Short mmCIF file of all heavy atoms in Angstrom, two decimals:
data_model
loop_
_atom_site.label_atom_id
_atom_site.label_comp_id
_atom_site.label_asym_id
_atom_site.label_seq_id
_atom_site.Cartn_x
_atom_site.Cartn_y
_atom_site.Cartn_z
N GLN D 276 19.51 231.75 -58.21
CA GLN D 276 18.18 231.73 -57.69
C GLN D 276 17.53 230.35 -57.84
O GLN D 276 17.61 229.70 -58.88
CB GLN D 276 17.32 232.74 -58.34
CG GLN D 276 17.65 234.19 -58.11
CD GLN D 276 17.51 234.55 -56.61
OE1 GLN D 276 16.55 234.20 -55.94
NE2 GLN D 276 18.51 235.12 -56.04
N PRO D 277 16.91 229.77 -56.76
CA PRO D 277 16.37 228.47 -56.79
C PRO D 277 15.06 228.58 -57.63
O PRO D 277 14.41 229.68 -57.77
CB PRO D 277 16.02 228.17 -55.35
CG PRO D 277 15.91 229.53 -54.62
CD PRO D 277 16.85 230.43 -55.36
N GLN D 278 14.60 227.51 -58.09
CA GLN D 278 13.39 227.45 -58.89
C GLN D 278 12.16 227.69 -58.06
O GLN D 278 11.28 228.47 -58.41
CB GLN D 278 13.26 226.12 -59.58
CG GLN D 278 14.14 225.87 -60.79
CD GLN D 278 13.69 226.80 -61.93
OE1 GLN D 278 14.31 227.90 -62.13
NE2 GLN D 278 12.75 226.39 -62.81
N ASN D 279 12.05 227.00 -56.94
CA ASN D 279 10.78 227.13 -56.07
C ASN D 279 11.25 227.32 -54.66
O ASN D 279 11.16 226.37 -53.78
CB ASN D 279 9.98 225.83 -56.24
CG ASN D 279 9.39 225.64 -57.60
OD1 ASN D 279 8.80 226.56 -58.16
ND2 ASN D 279 9.73 224.48 -58.27
N PRO D 280 11.60 228.51 -54.29
CA PRO D 280 12.05 228.70 -52.86
C PRO D 280 10.84 228.65 -51.96
O PRO D 280 9.79 229.12 -52.23
CB PRO D 280 12.61 230.11 -52.87
CG PRO D 280 11.99 230.80 -54.08
CD PRO D 280 11.79 229.72 -55.06
N ASP D 281 11.01 227.93 -50.79
CA ASP D 281 9.90 227.72 -49.83
C ASP D 281 10.12 228.67 -48.69
O ASP D 281 11.04 228.64 -47.91
CB ASP D 281 10.00 226.26 -49.35
CG ASP D 281 8.85 225.84 -48.43
OD1 ASP D 281 8.21 226.77 -47.84
OD2 ASP D 281 8.56 224.66 -48.36
N MET D 282 9.16 229.67 -48.62
CA MET D 282 9.23 230.69 -47.71
C MET D 282 8.34 230.40 -46.35
O MET D 282 8.07 231.36 -45.65
CB MET D 282 8.72 232.01 -48.27
CG MET D 282 9.85 232.63 -49.21
SD MET D 282 11.31 233.10 -48.29
CE MET D 282 12.46 233.23 -49.61
N THR D 283 7.98 229.21 -46.14
CA THR D 283 7.23 228.90 -44.88
C THR D 283 8.23 229.19 -43.75
O THR D 283 9.43 228.82 -43.86
CB THR D 283 6.75 227.46 -44.90
OG1 THR D 283 7.83 226.62 -45.15
CG2 THR D 283 5.69 227.23 -45.92
N HIS D 284 7.69 229.65 -42.68
CA HIS D 284 8.65 230.11 -41.57
C HIS D 284 7.94 230.23 -40.26
O HIS D 284 6.69 230.13 -40.11
CB HIS D 284 9.25 231.53 -41.91
CG HIS D 284 8.13 232.56 -42.05
ND1 HIS D 284 7.46 232.79 -43.21
CD2 HIS D 284 7.70 233.50 -41.14
CE1 HIS D 284 6.58 233.68 -42.96
NE2 HIS D 284 6.75 234.21 -41.75
N VAL D 285 8.74 230.36 -39.19
CA VAL D 285 8.40 230.57 -37.92
C VAL D 285 9.15 231.85 -37.35
O VAL D 285 10.39 231.80 -37.41
CB VAL D 285 8.51 229.46 -36.92
CG1 VAL D 285 8.10 229.84 -35.47
CG2 VAL D 285 7.65 228.31 -37.35
N ILE D 286 8.51 232.80 -36.78
CA ILE D 286 9.27 233.98 -36.24
C ILE D 286 9.39 233.84 -34.74
O ILE D 286 8.44 233.65 -34.05
CB ILE D 286 8.48 235.31 -36.55
CG1 ILE D 286 8.42 235.49 -38.07
CG2 ILE D 286 9.30 236.51 -35.91
CD1 ILE D 286 7.58 236.74 -38.48
N HIS D 287 10.63 233.72 -34.24
CA HIS D 287 10.93 233.53 -32.83
C HIS D 287 10.96 234.91 -32.13
O HIS D 287 10.52 235.02 -31.01
CB HIS D 287 12.15 232.77 -32.63
CG HIS D 287 12.25 231.50 -33.36
ND1 HIS D 287 11.41 230.43 -33.06
CD2 HIS D 287 13.05 231.05 -34.42
CE1 HIS D 287 11.65 229.52 -33.91
NE2 HIS D 287 12.63 229.80 -34.73
N LYS D 288 11.58 235.88 -32.81
CA LYS D 288 11.75 237.23 -32.19
C LYS D 288 11.86 238.27 -33.26
O LYS D 288 12.59 238.11 -34.29
CB LYS D 288 12.93 237.20 -31.28
CG LYS D 288 13.22 238.46 -30.54
CD LYS D 288 14.39 238.42 -29.61
CE LYS D 288 14.59 239.69 -28.87
NZ LYS D 288 15.73 239.64 -27.96
N LEU D 289 11.19 239.43 -33.06
CA LEU D 289 11.40 240.66 -33.77
C LEU D 289 11.16 241.75 -32.79
O LEU D 289 10.07 242.01 -32.38
CB LEU D 289 10.45 240.80 -34.98
CG LEU D 289 10.62 242.09 -35.73
CD1 LEU D 289 12.03 242.24 -36.26
CD2 LEU D 289 9.71 242.24 -36.86
N SER D 290 12.26 242.48 -32.42
CA SER D 290 12.14 243.49 -31.40
C SER D 290 13.07 244.66 -31.81
O SER D 290 13.95 244.52 -32.57
CB SER D 290 12.58 243.05 -30.01
OG SER D 290 13.92 242.62 -30.00
N PHE D 291 12.69 245.80 -31.31
CA PHE D 291 13.37 247.02 -31.64
C PHE D 291 13.88 247.76 -30.36
O PHE D 291 13.20 247.86 -29.30
CB PHE D 291 12.45 248.06 -32.39
CG PHE D 291 11.95 247.47 -33.66
CD1 PHE D 291 10.77 246.67 -33.62
CD2 PHE D 291 12.50 247.64 -34.90
CE1 PHE D 291 10.21 246.09 -34.82
CE2 PHE D 291 12.00 247.10 -36.01
CZ PHE D 291 10.84 246.37 -36.00
N GLY D 292 15.15 248.29 -30.43
CA GLY D 292 15.66 249.04 -29.26
C GLY D 292 16.08 248.20 -28.10
O GLY D 292 16.26 246.96 -28.23
N ASP D 293 16.16 248.86 -26.94
CA ASP D 293 16.58 248.17 -25.73
C ASP D 293 15.55 247.12 -25.31
O ASP D 293 14.32 247.35 -25.48
CB ASP D 293 16.80 249.10 -24.58
CG ASP D 293 17.96 250.16 -24.80
OD1 ASP D 293 18.84 249.76 -25.65
OD2 ASP D 293 17.99 251.17 -24.19
N LYS D 294 16.03 246.11 -24.68
CA LYS D 294 15.06 245.15 -24.06
C LYS D 294 14.62 245.56 -22.72
O LYS D 294 15.34 245.94 -21.84
CB LYS D 294 15.82 243.75 -23.94
CG LYS D 294 14.85 242.59 -23.53
CD LYS D 294 15.64 241.31 -23.40
CE LYS D 294 14.75 240.14 -23.00
NZ LYS D 294 15.44 238.89 -22.99
N LEU D 295 13.25 245.57 -22.53
CA LEU D 295 12.69 245.95 -21.31
C LEU D 295 12.14 244.73 -20.60
O LEU D 295 11.27 244.03 -21.12
CB LEU D 295 11.51 246.97 -21.50
CG LEU D 295 11.87 248.41 -22.00
CD1 LEU D 295 10.67 249.17 -22.13
CD2 LEU D 295 12.91 249.03 -21.13
N GLN D 296 12.65 244.48 -19.43
CA GLN D 296 12.16 243.33 -18.62
C GLN D 296 11.55 243.86 -17.35
O GLN D 296 12.06 243.89 -16.30
CB GLN D 296 13.34 242.37 -18.24
CG GLN D 296 13.82 241.56 -19.40
CD GLN D 296 14.87 240.55 -18.99
OE1 GLN D 296 15.72 240.90 -18.14
NE2 GLN D 296 14.82 239.43 -19.57
N VAL D 297 10.26 244.45 -17.55
CA VAL D 297 9.56 245.07 -16.47
C VAL D 297 8.24 244.38 -16.37
O VAL D 297 7.40 244.30 -17.30
CB VAL D 297 9.30 246.55 -16.71
CG1 VAL D 297 8.65 247.21 -15.51
CG2 VAL D 297 10.70 247.29 -16.96
N HIS D 298 7.94 243.82 -15.11
CA HIS D 298 6.72 242.95 -14.96
C HIS D 298 5.45 243.77 -15.17
O HIS D 298 4.48 243.25 -15.54
CB HIS D 298 6.85 242.19 -13.59
CG HIS D 298 7.95 241.26 -13.47
ND1 HIS D 298 8.11 240.18 -14.27
CD2 HIS D 298 9.07 241.36 -12.64
CE1 HIS D 298 9.26 239.56 -13.90
NE2 HIS D 298 9.82 240.23 -12.95
N ASN D 299 5.49 244.96 -14.74
CA ASN D 299 4.27 245.76 -14.67
C ASN D 299 3.90 246.41 -15.96
O ASN D 299 2.87 247.11 -16.13
CB ASN D 299 4.27 246.79 -13.58
CG ASN D 299 4.36 246.20 -12.17
OD1 ASN D 299 3.88 245.07 -11.96
ND2 ASN D 299 4.98 246.87 -11.15
N VAL D 300 4.78 246.31 -16.93
CA VAL D 300 4.53 246.93 -18.23
C VAL D 300 4.20 245.77 -19.26
O VAL D 300 5.06 244.97 -19.58
CB VAL D 300 5.74 247.72 -18.72
CG1 VAL D 300 5.54 248.25 -20.13
CG2 VAL D 300 5.92 248.93 -17.79
N HIS D 301 3.01 245.73 -19.65
CA HIS D 301 2.55 244.70 -20.70
C HIS D 301 2.34 245.35 -22.00
O HIS D 301 1.34 245.93 -22.27
CB HIS D 301 1.30 243.98 -20.21
CG HIS D 301 1.48 243.33 -18.87
ND1 HIS D 301 2.25 242.23 -18.65
CD2 HIS D 301 0.98 243.72 -17.65
CE1 HIS D 301 2.16 241.90 -17.31
NE2 HIS D 301 1.36 242.74 -16.72
N GLY D 302 3.40 245.32 -22.87
CA GLY D 302 3.25 246.02 -24.19
C GLY D 302 3.58 245.02 -25.31
O GLY D 302 3.97 243.88 -25.11
N ALA D 303 3.47 245.50 -26.48
CA ALA D 303 3.72 244.72 -27.73
C ALA D 303 5.20 244.95 -28.18
O ALA D 303 5.41 245.44 -29.24
CB ALA D 303 2.77 245.09 -28.82
N PHE D 304 6.11 244.54 -27.36
CA PHE D 304 7.49 244.64 -27.65
C PHE D 304 8.06 243.59 -28.59
O PHE D 304 9.10 243.72 -29.20
CB PHE D 304 8.42 244.68 -26.41
CG PHE D 304 8.06 245.93 -25.49
CD1 PHE D 304 7.24 245.79 -24.44
CD2 PHE D 304 8.67 247.16 -25.77
CE1 PHE D 304 7.00 246.85 -23.57
CE2 PHE D 304 8.40 248.24 -25.00
CZ PHE D 304 7.56 248.06 -23.88
N ASN D 305 7.34 242.47 -28.63
CA ASN D 305 7.73 241.35 -29.48
C ASN D 305 6.45 240.73 -29.99
O ASN D 305 6.15 239.52 -29.82
CB ASN D 305 8.58 240.32 -28.63
CG ASN D 305 9.17 239.26 -29.59
OD1 ASN D 305 9.27 239.40 -30.83
ND2 ASN D 305 9.70 238.21 -29.03
N ALA D 306 5.66 241.57 -30.68
CA ALA D 306 4.33 241.27 -31.13
C ALA D 306 4.34 240.03 -32.12
O ALA D 306 3.23 239.27 -32.14
CB ALA D 306 3.64 242.44 -31.74
N LEU D 307 5.37 239.76 -32.82
CA LEU D 307 5.39 238.70 -33.83
C LEU D 307 6.01 237.34 -33.27
O LEU D 307 6.16 236.45 -33.99
CB LEU D 307 6.23 239.12 -35.04
CG LEU D 307 5.42 239.86 -36.10
CD1 LEU D 307 6.31 240.47 -37.19
CD2 LEU D 307 4.31 239.10 -36.70
#
């Protein structure tokens, strides 16, 4: 274990299930 691990980060993608590419549906599929 490191002494001082740096957990600063950027989330590019967090998604669940199948990917939906539908223009008329605006949902929180990748809210982060």
Side-chain angles (χ1 to χ4, degrees):
Q276 292 298 314
Q278 283 292 96
N279 296 306
D281 186 335
M282 285 295 165
T283 54
H284 62 276
V285 176
I286 299 173
H287 308 294
K288 182 179 183 180
L289 176 60
S290 63
F291 301 86
D293 295 339
K294 185 177 182 180
L295 293 182
Q296 289 183 319
V297 183
H298 297 297
N299 295 333
V300 174
H301 302 288
F304 295 98
N305 191 11
L307 275 173

